[in-house]
Amino acid sequence: MTGTLIGVGLGPGDPGLITLKAARAIEGAGTVAYPSLAGGDSFARAIAADLIPAGAREIRLDVPMTVAREPAQQAYDAGAAEIAKVLRAGDDVVMLCEGDPFFYGSFMYINARLAPEFKVEVIPGVTSVTACAAVSGRPLVARNERLTVLPGPMDEAELRDRIAGAEAVAIMKVGRHLSKIRTVIEGLGLTAQATYIERATLPQQVVLPLSEAPDTAPYFSMILLTKGADPWL
């Protein structure tokens, strides 16, 4: 029999937000896999560090952060091949993923490659969107409102159209796109309704009105915008 690939959502960064089910899976792991910045540290491993058993085999996926898709795809190909060897030997592999495995999570790329051959279990995690809402103290949506999630790298014109037509918006992967996003929101007259959050739940957490946000933002930053079309008060 082959092993099971277990995708574990770790939440946005605070180890206290790892679910009990995720913690138990990590603590019982014989093999742990996780993505890392090529040549750098792994945020996913850092979140789960206190739960990884001593002596567990570790598989590191060095994923380059580039606009081009091919380098990252090659890294996932190589990582999936290494994980497959362990699964074929009959051992389970726990793959760590920041946030939730299937919500912009790196696990989805490994799942796509291995699910046709191996049994896969996915343990959901707290998403960055809900974490940012919690630390900002502002509800995301109310009653019949709809939430639109947008990636920061989106083309400026499309970003403007999507925000204009939305009721509540979460803009992820802000990073180097902050200036563009800020300009779009200002042009729509919605700055006063937008909140900037970076590194939610971590000691370095920052929560500010968008009007007071810094000029530069890290990759792990988000803007929440609520128009209040269906108020709850």
Side-chain angles (χ1 to χ4, degrees):
M1 293 180 63
T2 58
T4 300
L5 173 62
I6 306 170
V8 174
L10 301 173
D14 178 357
L17 292 176
I18 297 175
T19 67
L20 289 174
K21 186 170 184 177
R24 289 168 184 148
I26 298 167
E27 289 173 333
T31 301
V32 176
Y34 48 82
S36 65
L37 292 175
D41 297 328
S42 169
F43 182 41
R45 192 193 187 287
I47 297 171
D50 291 341
L51 298 172
I52 298 174
R57 176 194 292 134
E58 298 190 21
I59 299 175
R60 181 187 185 108
L61 284 70
D62 280 321
V63 182
M65 293 294 288
T66 64
V67 176
R69 287 180 55 84
E70 189 58 30
Q73 296 305 311
Q74 291 175 354
Y76 290 126
D77 286 342
E82 191 169 353
I83 291 170
K85 291 178 183 177
V86 179
L87 296 174
R88 290 191 186 104
D91 296 325
D92 296 343
V93 175
V94 171
M95 183 166 178
L96 310 178
C97 184
E98 307 104 80
D100 179 89
F102 281 165
F103 186 74
Y104 291 101
S106 55
F107 174 76
M108 68 178 69
Y109 303 110
I110 298 301
N111 176 75
R113 288 162 169 78
L114 298 181
E117 181 179 352
F118 303 102
K119 180 182 176 182
V120 177
E121 177 184 353
V122 178
I123 301 176
V126 175
T127 70
S128 55
V129 174
T130 51
C132 285
V135 301
S136 68
R138 297 183 61 180
L140 279 171
V141 285
R143 292 162 51 86
N144 295 318
E145 287 180 325
R146 294 164 295 176
L147 175 65
T148 300
V149 180
L150 302 173
M154 181 179 287
D155 174 77
E156 183 173 341
E158 184 177 4
L159 185 65
R160 181 181 297 106
D161 290 343
R162 294 292 185 95
I163 294 175
E167 296 172 348
V169 183
I171 305 173
M172 303 182 61
K173 306 177 184 179
V174 171
R176 60 190 176 88
H177 305 282
L178 176 58
S179 177
K180 174 190 68 180
I181 298 167
R182 195 201 308 260
T183 298
V184 168
I185 293 174
E186 288 176 351
L188 292 169
L190 297 170
T191 300
Q193 292 152 272
T195 302
Y196 169 84
I197 308 103
E198 69 179 55
R199 298 187 174 95
T201 78
L202 294 171
Q204 313 95 312
Q205 170 184 292
V206 174
V207 181
L208 293 169
L210 180 59
S211 60
E212 300 175 19
D215 293 330
T216 58
Y219 178 79
F220 290 110
S221 55
M222 185 178 301
I223 293 172
L224 299 180
L225 192 158
T226 304
K227 297 180 182 179
D230 197 350
W232 55 91
L233 290 178

